[in-house]
C-alpha cells in the first residue's frame, strides 16, 4: 500500500456569503496522478491553492506526509518547497532568464551553491526539452515553452507532489501538446501529481484516478474507465457528455479555420 | 565682471546638485518603505501609509522646510542645507511612494504568488522577484520626479543656502540685470534636468527586458 | 530590508552629528556665549545694494556689511555672515539660528513683538528733487501727487509712491519708474518729469553733479531709522551693540560710510 503524501480532511473554503467548497476529503498517494475535473467556478482551482497554503482554508485540515500543515505556527514557506505548483498563466519571473527562473528557488530558498544550482537547473530544463532556451527571457518564449519552464522551476525543488492548475487552458491549441507531453512523461516517472484540467484525453490516458467536482463538493471519483464509461452519477455523465461535445466542436472549428 | 558673475552662479550648481542628491535618495528610501507597507502591510499599516502620503503631498514643500528649520530647531539643530534637503526628501517621498506603489501594482500579484509557491518568504519574494521588476517600471515616472526635485531644490534658497536661485537673486540686485542673472539660472536648471532625464532614459533602455526578437 | 534600515540609521546618525556640531557651549548669557565661541553669526539678505549685496567674486559688500564688520571687531569676535532671504531673517533670529541680523531693517511695532532692535545706526531721509525752474510747491509730502514723479524701481520710495497711486491721489500715468536713480535725475533735467523721489544723500550728490537741480523737500518718509535685529530680551547684546554704535557715530565712522555708499 503506497503511503499518502497529501491529504485534505473536511476542507472548507468560504468567501463572504459564498461557500466555494465544503467538507472536501481527498488523498493523494505516492506516485499517483489524480485529475480533478468539473465545471468552471466549482472550486477546483481554489482547492489546489488551499493545498499549498497560497489560500487559507476556513475549515478542515491539510496533511503533508501525515503532518498537519494547517496547524497554527507551521512554517508555510517550508511547506511550499515540498509542493510544486504550475499555474494557468505560467507566472514565470519576467525579469529572469529561463535558467534563472529555474535556479532562483534553489539558490535563494534552498541556499544551494550557485554551481550546483546551475547544474540542477540545466537538468530540469533538459527534462522539459528546453536546454537550448536557457538564456531566453519569458518575453522571448512561446506560451508552451513558458509553461514548460514553469514546470521545470517547480520540479527543481524536488517536490513531494506537483499541483497543476489548468496548465494548458491559456495556451493556443497547437502549443498544448508539448506541455501535456511533459506532464505525461512525469506521470510515467511516477511523480505524484494533482491536476486540474479540462483535457479529457490527458485525463483518460494518464490519470490513475479521476475526481469529479461540482458546486463545491466531490460528486464522484474512480478510475478513468469507471468514470468515463460507467459513471454512477447523472451529473457526471451530463458533464462528460457536454465537455466532449464542446471540445470536439472547438477542435472542428480550429481545423476549419486552419 | 560678467564672466565672474556667471561663474558665481555656476558655483551654486554644485550646491543644487548636492541638495538633490540628498533629497532624492532620502525620498526613495522612505517612499519605497511606505509603498511596500501600503501594498503588503495589514489594514492599519496600509491606512497609516496612505495618511502619510496624503499629508505630505498636501503640504507645500516650503512650509515643511520652515517647520523643520525654524520650528523644530529646538529639538534638532539642523543646518539649513540638511533641513532643506531632508524636507524636500520627505515631500518627495510621498510622490515616490505613489510612483512605486503604481509600479508594484503593475508587477501584479501573480509574481508574488509564484514566488511564494517556490517557497520564498514575503520578504524574499519582494526583494528578488517583485522589486527588480517594479523598479524597472518605475524608472520613467521616477525620472519625472527627479527633475521636479531638482527644480524644487531652489526652495532651500529661503534658508539662505547659496544655490543657483539665491545667487541669481543676489546678482540681479547687484548688477541690475535680472535677465542675465535669472536667464543663466534657468539655463543651468534646463541643462541639469535635461541631463538627468537623458541619463534615466538610458538606464531605462539598458534595463528593458527583451521580448520576442 | 536590512540595507534600508542601515541607510535610515546612517541618516539619523549623520543628523545627530550635525546637531552636536551646531550646539553652543553653555554660558551665562547670549553675549557671553558669543564671546566664548569667538564668533558672532549675523544674518543678512545680500540682495539690497548699497546696504548689502555681493560683488563679482561673491564677497559681501555694502554699508551694513562694513558697519557690522567694525562692530564685530570691537566686540572682539570673528564675524560669520549667514545669507538668507529678507523674509527669513526675523524667524532665524527668533529661533536662534543666528545671533543677530543687519539688513536695512526699519523699526516697526509689529516686529518689536518678537525680536528686539538696537538703537538706530542710520536714518535714511527721502528727498524730492526738482529742476531749478520748478514753478509748483511741495509744502507737504502728499503735494507731490500733483506732479509727474520719477522713482527707482523696487526702492522704499517706489513703495511709498505706489501707496499714493493705490490711494487714488497720484494718477498711475504720472508715476515713472527707472532702473537707476541717475536715469531718473537725467530725465528730470530734460524736463520729461517734474519731481524725483529718492534717498536724500544720493539726491544731493546727483543734483550737484548734474547741475540745475535742487531739493524741494526732504524728510523721513519711506523708510526711516535702521536698526540691528537682536533676539528678544537680549539686553546684554543690545547694550554692547548700542555702545559701539554710539562710539562709531561719535567718531564719524558712520557718516564716512554713508558718504562712501550713498553719495555716488
Amino acid at each position: 500500500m503506497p503511503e499518502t503524501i497529501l491529504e485534505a480532511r473536511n476542507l472548507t473554503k468560504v468567501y463572504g456569503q459564498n461557500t466555494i467548497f465544503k467538507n472536501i476529503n481527498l488523498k493523494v498517494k505516492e506516485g499517483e496522478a489524480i485529475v480533478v475535473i468539473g465545471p468552471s467556478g466549482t472550486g477546483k482551482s481554489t482547492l489546489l491553492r488551499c493545498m499549498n497554503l497560497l489560500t487559507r482554508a476556513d475549515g478542515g485540515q491539510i496533511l503533508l506526509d501525515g503532518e498537519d500543515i494547517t496547524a497554527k505556527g507551521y512554517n508555510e514557506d517550508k511547506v511550499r518547497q515540498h509542493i510544486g505548483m504550475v499555474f494557468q498563466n505560467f507566472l514565470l519571473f519576467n525579469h529572469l532568464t529561463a535558467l534563472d527562473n529555474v535556479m532562483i528557488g534553489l539558490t535563494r530558498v534552498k541556499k544551494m551553491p550557485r554551481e550546483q544550482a546551475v547544474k540542477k537547473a540545466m537538468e530540469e530544463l533538459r527534462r522539459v526539452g528546453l536546454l537550448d532556451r536557457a538564456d531566453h527571457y519569458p518575453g522571448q518564449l512561446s506560451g508552451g515553452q513558458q509553461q514548460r519552464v514553469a514546470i521545470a522551476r517547480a520540479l527543481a525543488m524536488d517536490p513531494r507532489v506537483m499541483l497543476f492548475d489548468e496548465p494548458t487552458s491559456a495556451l493556443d491549441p497547437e502549443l498544448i501538446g508539448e506541455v501535456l507531453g511533459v506532464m505525461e512523461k512525469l506521470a510515467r516517472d511516477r511523480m505524484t501529481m494533482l491536476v486540474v484540467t479540462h483535457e479529457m484525453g490527458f485525463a483518460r490516458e494518464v490519470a490513475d484516478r479521476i475526481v469529479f467536482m461540482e458546486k463545491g463538493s466531490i460528486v464522484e471519483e474512480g478510475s478513468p474507465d469507471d468514470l468515463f464509461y460507467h459513471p454512477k452519477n447523472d451529473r457526471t455523465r451530463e458533464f462528460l457528455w457536454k465537455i466532449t461535445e464542446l471540445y470536439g466542436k472547438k477542435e472542428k472549428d480550429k481545423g476549419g479555420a486552419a | 565682471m560678467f564672466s565672474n558673475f556667471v561663474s558665481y552662479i555656476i558655483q551654486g550648481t554644485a550646491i543644487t546638485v548636492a541638495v538633490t542628491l540628498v533629497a532624492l535618495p532620502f525620498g526613495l528610501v522612505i517612499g519605497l518603505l511606505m509603498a511596500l507597507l501600503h501594498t503588503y502591510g495589514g489594514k492599519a499599516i496600509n491606512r497609516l501609509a496612505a495618511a502619510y502620503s496624503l499629508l505630505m503631498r498636501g503640504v507645500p514643500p516650503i512650509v515643511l522646510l520652515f517647520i523643520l528649520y525654524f520650528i523644530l530647531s529646538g529639538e534638532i539643530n539642523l543646518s539649513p542645507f540638511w533641513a532643506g534637503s531632508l524636507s524636500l526628501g520627505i515631500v518627495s517621498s510621498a510622490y515616490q511612494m505613489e510612483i512605486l506603489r503604481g509600479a508594484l501594482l503593475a508587477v501584479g500579484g501573480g509574481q508574488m504568488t509564484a514566488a511564494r509557491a517556490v517557497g520564498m518568504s514575503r520578504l524574499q519574494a519582494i526583494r528578488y522577484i517583485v522589486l527588480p521588476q517594479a523598479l524597472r517600471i518605475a524608472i520613467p515616472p521616477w525620472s519625472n520626479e527627479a527633475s521636479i526635485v531638482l527644480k524644487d531644490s531652489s526652495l532651500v534658497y529661503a534658508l539662505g543656502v547659496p544655490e543657483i536661485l539665491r545667487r541669481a537673486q543676489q546678482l540681479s540686485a547687484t548688477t541690475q540685470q535680472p535677465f542675465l542673472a535669472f536667464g543663466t539660472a534657468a539655463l543651468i536648471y534646463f541643462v541639469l534636468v535635461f541631463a538627468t532625464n537623458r541619463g534615466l532614459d538610458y538606464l531605462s533602455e539598458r534595463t528593458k527586458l527583451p521580448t520576442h526578437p | 530590508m536590512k540595507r534600508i534600515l542601515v541607510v535610515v540609521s546612517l541618516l539619523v546618525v549623520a543628523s545627530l552629528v550635525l546637531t552636536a556640531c551646531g550646539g553652543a557651549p553653555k554660558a551665562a548669557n547670549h553675549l557671553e556665549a558669543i564671546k566664548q565661541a569667538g564668533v558672532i553669526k549675523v544674518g543678512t539678505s545680500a540682495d539690497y545694494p548699497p546696504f548689502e549685496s555681493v560683488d563679482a567674486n561673491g564677497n559681501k559688500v555694502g554699508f551694513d556689511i562694513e558697519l557690522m564688520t567694525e562692530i564685530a571687531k570691537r566686540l572682539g569676535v570673528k564675524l560669520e555672515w549667514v545669507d538668507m532671504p529678507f523674509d527669513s531673517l526675523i524667524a532665524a533670529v527668533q529661533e536662534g539660528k543666528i545671533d543677530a541680523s543687519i539688513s536695512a531693517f526699519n523699526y516697526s511695532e509689529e516686529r518689536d513683538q518678537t525680536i528686539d532692535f538696537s538703537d538706530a545706526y542710520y536714518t535714511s531721509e527721502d528727498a524730492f528733487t526738482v529742476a531749478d525752474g520748478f514753478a509748483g510747491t511741495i509744502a507737504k509730502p502728499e503735494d507731490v501727487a500733483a506732479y509727474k514723479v520719477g522713482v527707482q524701481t523696487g526702492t522704499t520710495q517706489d513703495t511709498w509712491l505706489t501707496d499714493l497711486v493705490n490711494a487714488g491721489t497720484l494718477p498711475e500715468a504720472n508715476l515713472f519708474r527707472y532702473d537707476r536713480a541717475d536715469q531718473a535725475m537725467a530725465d528730470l533735467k530734460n524736463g520729461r518729469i517734474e519731481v524725483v523721489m529718492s534717498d536724500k544723500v544720493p539726491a544731493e550728490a546727483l543734483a550737484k553733479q548734474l547741475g540745475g537741480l535742487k531739493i524741494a523737500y526732504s524728510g523721513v518718509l519711506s523708510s526711516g531709522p535702521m536698526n540691528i535685529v537682536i533676539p528678544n530680551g537680549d539686553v546684554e547684546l543690545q547694550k554692547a551693540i548700542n555702545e559701539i554704535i554710539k562710539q562709531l557715530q561719535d567718531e564719524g565712522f558712520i557718516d564716512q560710510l554713508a558718504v562712501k555708499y550713498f553719495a555716488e
Side-chain angles (χ1 to χ4, degrees):
Chain A
M1 190 72 184
E3 64 177 300
T4 301
I5 301 236
L6 192 63
E7 180 179 357
R9 278 190 194 161
N10 293 320
L11 209 61
T12 300
K13 177 72 192 170
V14 182
Y15 273 127
Q17 299 285 317
N18 295 331
T19 302
I20 307 301
F21 51 75
K22 205 174 168 181
N23 293 331
I24 298 281
N25 286 290
L26 184 66
K27 278 187 184 178
V28 189
K29 298 211 170 84
E30 183 154 26
E32 196 181 26
I34 297 181
V35 171
V36 182
I37 60 172
S40 303
T42 203
K44 304 180 307 268
S45 289
T46 310
L47 176 62
L48 230 54
R49 283 166 167 267
C50 283
M51 296 303 265
N52 74 343
L53 309 181
L54 282 177
T55 302
R56 278 285 169 177
D58 298 296
Q61 294 163 308
I62 299 161
L63 287 81
L64 177 67
D65 286 322
E67 269 191 69
D68 182 3
I69 59 173
T70 43
K72 257 209 162 95
Y74 205 91
N75 184 345
E76 51 178 74
D77 297 334
K78 204 93 189 171
V79 166
R80 295 201 196 93
Q81 290 182 39
H82 301 300
I83 305 179
M85 179 134 189
V86 175
F87 300 91
Q88 182 177 348
N89 43 353
F90 332 135
L91 296 182
L92 286 186
F93 306 133
N94 293 316
H95 63 303
L96 299 177
T97 61
L99 179 65
D100 285 333
N101 261 281
V102 181
M103 260 176 63
I104 195 159
L106 297 175
T107 54
R108 297 303 182 191
V109 178
K110 288 201 161 175
K111 312 286 184 199
M112 191 183 276
R114 199 188 143 78
E115 240 171 84
Q116 201 183 333
V118 171
K119 214 172 135 216
K120 169 89 172 149
M122 289 303 247
E123 253 167 53
E124 298 301 343
L125 283 175
R126 179 180 301 132
R127 203 158 151 190
V128 298
L130 286 172
L131 208 49
D132 58 332
R133 293 285 185 272
D135 60 348
H136 283 51
Y137 284 88
Q140 298 170 302
L141 298 171
S142 74
Q145 290 169 335
Q146 287 190 53
Q147 193 59 299
R148 283 149 68 197
V149 173
I151 293 171
R153 175 174 72 184
L155 287 173
M157 301 297 284
D158 288 327
R160 298 283 290 146
V161 54
M162 287 279 285
L163 309 179
F164 291 86
D165 184 8
E166 302 198 27
T168 57
S169 47
L171 292 172
D172 287 338
E174 71 270 23
L175 301 177
I176 291 176
E178 60 189 76
V179 173
L180 291 181
V182 167
M183 290 169 65
E184 250 178 76
K185 207 170 116 217
L186 282 181
R188 270 205 310 276
D189 295 344
R190 305 316 296 171
M191 167 59 76
T192 311
M193 294 161 69
L194 180 59
V195 184
V196 171
T197 187
H198 292 295
E199 294 294 335
M200 292 305 139
F202 175 84
R204 211 157 27 206
E205 299 294 319
V206 178
D208 295 309
R209 201 144 49 94
I210 293 182
V211 173
F212 173 59
M213 245 179 105
E214 193 189 49
K215 290 182 183 146
S217 47
I218 292 176
V219 176
E220 188 171 352
E221 56 176 296
S223 73
D225 273 357
D226 287 346
L227 233 85
F228 278 101
Y229 303 114
H230 318 287
K232 291 191 201 92
N233 197 299
D234 284 348
R235 275 145 62 197
T236 315
R237 192 177 304 127
E238 198 182 326
F239 171 75
L240 285 170
W241 183 82
K242 257 194 215 156
I243 199 136
T244 24
E245 179 78 349
L246 190 75
Y247 271 71
K249 217 169 163 184
K250 214 162 116 186
E251 290 300 301
K252 246 188 283 168
D253 287 352
K254 279 279 167 195
Chain B
M1 186 170 106
F2 278 158
S3 72
N4 269 356
F5 276 141
V6 170
S7 86
Y8 179 69
I9 295 193
I10 289 172
Q11 282 161 34
T13 310
I15 293 168
T16 293
V17 170
V19 169
T20 310
L21 286 183
V22 171
L24 258 186
F26 184 70
L28 179 62
V29 169
I30 307 236
L32 184 58
L33 206 66
M34 287 293 171
L36 290 173
L37 291 177
H38 192 287
T39 311
Y40 299 114
K43 223 174 208 165
I45 290 176
N46 176 306
R47 286 223 182 115
L48 223 62
Y52 175 83
S53 166
L54 204 65
L55 189 70
M56 290 309 167
R57 283 182 299 144
V59 179
I62 189 93
V63 173
L64 201 64
L65 211 109
F66 283 140
I67 290 177
L68 211 58
Y69 186 64
F70 290 125
I71 299 177
L72 295 182
S73 66
E75 323 301 322
I76 35 168
N77 194 3
L78 291 174
S79 71
F81 175 85
W82 283 97
S85 304
L86 294 182
S87 315
L88 291 175
I90 290 168
V91 171
S92 177
S93 75
Y95 289 94
Q96 295 193 53
M97 168 186 166
E98 294 302 324
I99 289 169
L100 291 163
R101 208 161 69 80
L104 289 173
L105 287 177
V107 169
Q111 294 286 317
M112 173 59 99
T113 306
R116 300 304 302 277
V118 295
M120 287 191 192
S121 67
R122 262 155 87 90
L123 278 184
Q124 282 180 318
I126 289 169
R127 178 164 169 200
Y128 299 118
I129 305 301
V130 179
L131 270 189
Q133 297 181 56
L135 292 179
R136 279 181 170 88
I137 296 170
I139 292 173
W142 195 81
S143 169
N144 199 29
E145 174 64 14
S147 47
I148 290 173
V149 171
L150 188 59
K151 287 182 281 181
D152 276 357
S153 74
S154 61
L155 292 173
V156 302
Y157 95 94
L159 305 183
V161 179
E163 45 65 72
I164 297 171
L165 178 64
R166 181 65 188 144
R167 286 170 188 248
Q169 278 183 329
Q170 292 172 341
L171 293 189
S172 163
T174 302
T175 61
Q176 295 291 322
Q177 304 250 14
F179 184 80
L180 182 78
F182 293 111
T184 306
L187 191 69
I188 296 172
Y189 279 117
F190 176 79
V191 169
L192 288 177
V193 168
F194 185 78
T196 304
N197 288 347
R198 268 308 163 91
L200 287 168
D201 281 353
Y202 178 73
L203 182 67
S204 176
E205 202 53 45
R206 278 294 298 271
T207 54
K208 209 167 141 188
L209 294 170
T211 49
H212 281 289
Chain C
M1 270 314 127
K2 257 185 202 148
R3 224 173 284 167
I4 294 176
L5 277 176
V6 169
V7 172
V8 170
S9 28
L10 276 181
L11 283 168
V12 170
V13 169
S15 51
L16 286 178
V17 169
L18 289 164
T19 308
C21 294
K26 286 267 169 279
N29 59 51
H30 188 206
L31 180 64
E32 281 309 309
I34 291 169
K35 287 192 166 164
Q36 254 176 40
V39 178
I40 185 165
K41 285 169 85 176
V42 181
T44 191
S45 179
D47 53 12
Y48 192 62
F51 291 95
E52 43 267 323
S53 61
V54 292
D55 68 9
N57 300 314
N59 299 318
K60 290 186 179 59
V61 293
F63 180 92
D64 285 350
I65 305 297
E66 213 167 308
L67 174 64
M68 195 66 217
T69 305
E70 187 60 25
I71 292 175
K73 206 166 110 192
R74 293 185 186 211
L75 278 173
V77 293
K78 273 178 34 186
L79 174 59
E80 184 187 328
W81 285 113
V82 178
D83 174 67
M84 231 178 245
F86 189 78
D87 296 338
S88 303
L89 286 170
I90 297 236
V93 172
Q94 220 178 319
E95 297 300 333
K97 294 289 173 186
I98 49 182
D99 297 314
S101 177
I102 185 165
S103 207
F105 277 102
N106 294 135
Y107 174 90
S108 83
E109 247 178 75
E110 206 182 326
R111 284 173 180 165
D112 199 19
Q113 315 248 306
T114 53
I115 41 91
D116 274 346
F117 288 99
S118 72
D119 291 341
Y121 56 83
Y122 177 73
T123 300
S124 126
E125 260 186 282
D126 303 303
F128 294 116
T129 309
V130 295
D132 280 343
F134 181 63
T137 46
I138 303 177
K140 55 183 199 301
E142 287 72 24
D143 292 347
V144 80
Y147 309 101
K148 289 180 184 168
V149 193
V151 72
Q152 184 182 356
T153 310
T155 55
T156 50
Q157 294 86 13
D158 187 5
T159 311
W160 190 85
L161 288 168
T162 304
D163 285 346
L164 286 190
V165 172
N166 291 339
T169 48
L170 176 65
E172 171 92 67
N174 282 354
L175 180 59
F176 297 79
R177 293 189 174 89
Y178 296 84
D179 272 349
R180 301 204 314 257
D182 58 344
Q183 293 169 338
M185 292 293 184
D187 259 13
L188 176 64
K189 206 179 170 204
N190 295 337
R192 223 168 279 152
I193 51 180
E194 294 160 294
V195 186
V196 168
M197 184 180 184
S198 68
D199 276 339
K200 191 183 172 191
V201 181
E204 282 171 335
L206 282 167
K208 210 162 96 187
Q209 197 187 318
L210 293 169
L213 301 175
K214 63 177 185 194
I215 289 173
Y217 180 94
S218 66
V220 177
L221 302 175
S222 66
S223 59
M226 290 173 188
N227 320 67
I228 295 170
V229 169
I230 54 176
N232 213 11
D234 191 346
V235 285
E236 293 86 5
L237 183 63
Q238 190 177 37
K239 192 168 158 244
I241 288 180
N242 284 346
E243 275 168 13
I244 295 171
I245 288 174
K246 179 86 174 31
Q247 285 171 18
L248 293 173
Q249 273 164 347
D250 292 349
E251 292 166 19
F253 183 91
I254 290 178
D255 286 343
Q256 281 167 26
L257 276 189
V259 170
K260 178 174 172 189
Y261 285 100
F262 305 133
E264 45 210 42

